[in-house]
Amino acid sequence: MKLHLGAHEITPLSVVAATLVLSAIAVLIVVAVMLPSGNADTIDSGVRGVPDWVTPERLIVPDEGAELRQLQWVPHRPRREIWNADDAAEYWLDPAEIGLDVLEEQVEAYIRRLFEEVP
């Protein structure tokens, strides 16, 4: 069985030889990659051009969410079974007053923006 590729003739012997050569190259690449070589633990740490203050600890980005996960709820008033009106009055903030203050600020900001366009 012979294959013709243009003017070239491909024999089964040449296919086997090409397969063996490619297999040998693949084995050499795998062996070269797997050989033990210097890594970060064995390389001399005296790298030229890097300042002394550069350390792995200084290059690690801090985890800002860690502090938030450690927060706990702390009550800001004593626990009681029953609250009467006088006890609640000390801690009561009228939501209507807070809402009116916020609404007033928003309306003033809106009016200022509205009049900025007027010549």
Side-chain angles (χ1 to χ4, degrees):
M1 174 174 99
K2 295 181 182 180
L3 293 174
H4 293 283
L5 184 62
H8 301 286
E9 186 176 310
I10 301 173
T11 63
L13 182 62
S14 62
V15 172
V16 170
T19 304
L20 288 175
V21 169
L22 290 176
S23 299
I25 291 173
V27 167
L28 288 175
I29 291 174
V30 170
V31 169
V33 170
M34 299 299 288
L35 282 177
S37 61
N39 58 23
D41 295 332
T42 60
I43 295 175
D44 184 23
S45 62
V47 180
R48 285 181 255 135
V50 178
D52 293 336
W53 61 267
V54 176
T55 62
E57 292 80 25
R58 293 206 54 186
L59 296 176
I60 294 175
V61 178
D63 185 11
E64 296 173 355
E67 294 177 7
L68 296 176
R69 289 189 292 271
Q70 294 175 356
L71 294 178
Q72 296 179 357
W73 179 77
V74 177
H76 62 280
R77 58 182 174 225
R79 289 183 171 218
R80 297 184 185 162
E81 292 292 324
I82 298 174
W83 287 76
N84 58 28
D86 295 333
D87 294 336
E90 181 181 351
Y91 300 102
W92 177 254
L93 298 173
D94 187 18
E97 291 178 16
I98 297 171
L100 288 175
D101 292 342
V102 171
L103 183 62
E104 185 178 330
E105 289 175 10
Q106 289 177 350
V107 168
E108 286 181 16
Y110 176 73
I111 290 174
R112 274 192 225 106
R113 278 185 273 136
L114 185 67
F115 285 128
E116 283 177 354
E117 298 175 5
V118 176

